Amino acid sequence: MAGVILGNTVYPWLHSFCDPGTQWAKHHLLRWGIILYGFRLSFQQITEIGITGIAIDSVIVASTFLLACWLGRRIFNLDSETVILIGAGSSICGAAAVMATAPVIKAPGNKIAIAISTVVIFGTTAMFFYPWLYRLNLYYHWLAFNPQTFGMYLGSTVHEVAQVVAAGHAIGTETENIAVIGKMLRVMMLAPFLLVLGIVFKKTRTKTAESASESLSIVFPWFALWFMAAAAINSTRLLSPALTGDLTRLDNVLLTMAMIALGLTTRIRDIRNAGLKPLLLALILFLWLVLGGAGINLAFDQLFN
C-alpha cells in the first residue's frame, strides 16, 4: 500500500532516476523471494495431514482455479492474464501466488496490482469471517466440524499464510496447527502449478504467434524448481533453526521490496479502469472457497475417516 501511495504521488517525479532499480527489484528480487519461500516448508508437513489433507487441497486448488478460468473468460469476458492471476491468488496462496505467476505469463504491473487487491480484500475478510463461523457452528451444530477438521477447512480455503495463522489462532492452538500445515501444503502446490502453467501458456501463445507470423519467447519458471529445491533442503533438517530463521527474515525483506517496487509502478487509474468485473470474480471465488470448500472438506473427511 505504501508503494502504491508513493507511486501515485512522489515517484512520478523520480521515475527517470529510479525506474531501472525499481524494475530490477520487481523482477529479480521477486524470484529470489519465491525461492527462499521454500525454506518455510518441509515435506514432513505433508505426512501430518495424511492422504485426506492432500486430496482436499488438491481438489480445492484445481476446482478454484478452473472455476476462475471459466467464469473470468466466459461470464465476465476478462483478459486471460487477469483471470489467471486472480485464480492463482485465490486458489493457492494469495499475493505470493499472484507475484510468482506474473513472470510466467508476463503480466503487466497494473493487472498484478488488480489481482493482489482482490485477494487481499477477500483474504482479509476471511481472516475475520472464519473464527465467527466456527463459533456460530459450535453453537448451532450445522456442520460436522471439530477443531481439527475445521483447521483443515481453514487452511485449505483461506488465501494468505498470515491470514490462516491469524484466523486459526483466534480459534485455538489445535485448529491453528492443522490450518498452517494444510496451508503449507497448498503453498507447495505453487511450484508444480507454475511448471504446468508455463508449459500450457507457452503452447497456447506459440500457436497464436505462429498464426500471426510472430516470434514469441516464454520464460520458463526455473525459480519454481529452485523453490522446490529449497523445500527439499529444508526437509532434510540439515540447516540449523537459526539459519532457517535468517533465511525466512531475508525472504520477508525481499518479498517486501518486490511488492513495494510493484506498488511504485502501479497507477490507480489503471485499477479503476479495470471496473467491477475482477472484484466480482474474486467475490464468487471467495464464496466458492467458503461454501464449496466446506462441502469438499466434509465429503473427504467422511470418505477417508
Side-chain angles (χ1 to χ4, degrees):
M1 184 59 70
V4 173
I5 294 173
L6 291 174
N8 287 272
T9 53
V10 178
Y11 186 74
W13 298 91
L14 305 173
H15 177 270
S16 59
F17 301 101
C18 301
D19 193 60
T22 302
Q23 294 296 330
W24 187 88
K26 188 170 70 172
H27 292 93
H28 296 285
L29 293 187
L30 168 62
R31 286 168 171 79
W32 279 106
I34 296 299
I35 291 170
L36 291 181
Y37 203 92
F39 287 104
R40 303 169 187 258
L41 313 174
S42 70
F43 296 139
Q44 287 87 347
Q45 292 171 329
I46 298 177
T47 63
E48 296 186 35
I49 58 175
I51 188 66
T52 304
I54 296 172
I56 289 171
D57 275 345
S58 299
V59 171
I60 288 179
V61 167
S63 62
T64 304
F65 184 74
L66 292 175
L67 179 62
C69 292
W70 182 77
L71 287 173
R73 298 296 290 158
R74 295 293 183 89
I75 305 301
F76 294 113
N77 198 30
L78 290 166
D79 62 272
S80 59
E81 288 88 356
T82 299
V83 170
I84 290 172
L85 292 175
I86 293 176
S90 298
S91 61
I92 304 176
C93 55
V98 173
M99 296 182 70
T101 303
V104 178
I105 62 174
K106 294 187 175 181
N110 64 309
K111 294 178 182 179
I112 300 172
I114 291 168
I116 289 178
S117 299
T118 62
V119 298
V120 167
I121 289 170
F122 293 107
T124 303
T125 301
M127 183 173 63
F128 295 101
F129 174 75
Y130 277 73
W132 174 80
L133 178 63
Y134 177 79
R135 290 177 176 82
L136 199 65
N137 187 64
L138 202 63
Y139 183 80
Y140 288 104
H141 302 286
W142 290 329
L143 302 172
F145 279 124
N146 57 43
Q148 296 93 342
T149 55
F150 195 88
M152 188 63 217
Y153 167 50
L154 198 161
S156 63
T157 55
V158 175
H159 298 65
E160 300 270 2
V161 175
Q163 294 158 354
V164 169
V165 172
H169 185 75
I171 296 171
T173 303
E174 193 174 14
T175 299
E176 180 184 3
N177 291 339
I178 297 296
V180 170
I181 295 171
K183 181 60 184 177
M184 288 298 100
L185 177 57
R186 276 173 75 197
V187 174
M188 293 184 75
M189 293 179 180
L190 178 61
F193 167 81
L194 293 177
L195 294 174
V196 172
L197 179 64
I199 294 170
V200 172
F201 203 74
K202 180 177 181 178
K203 289 182 178 179
T204 303
R205 294 290 293 273
T206 300
K207 290 179 180 178
T208 304
E210 287 175 351
S211 64
S213 300
E214 298 174 352
S215 61
L216 180 66
S217 174
I218 299 293
V219 177
F220 184 79
W222 292 107
F223 64 91
L225 295 179
W226 287 110
F227 168 88
M228 291 298 292
I233 293 171
N234 194 46
S235 300
T236 64
R237 298 180 179 175
L238 295 176
L239 302 181
S240 67
L243 178 57
T244 303
D246 290 339
L247 290 172
T248 300
R249 284 186 285 273
L250 175 60
D251 181 46
N252 289 334
V253 172
L254 294 179
L255 288 177
T256 299
M257 292 176 69
M259 293 187 73
I260 290 175
L262 172 64
L264 290 174
T265 56
T266 298
R267 297 295 173 263
I268 292 177
R269 64 175 179 273
D270 294 329
I271 300 176
R272 189 187 305 117
N273 291 339
L276 287 175
K277 289 182 178 180
L279 195 64
L280 290 174
L281 173 59
L283 171 61
I284 295 174
L285 294 178
F286 170 66
L287 294 175
W288 163 250
L289 287 168
V290 172
L291 301 175
I296 291 170
N297 271 267
L298 291 172
F300 276 98
D301 187 57
Q302 290 292 321
L303 183 63
F304 289 103
N305 297 312

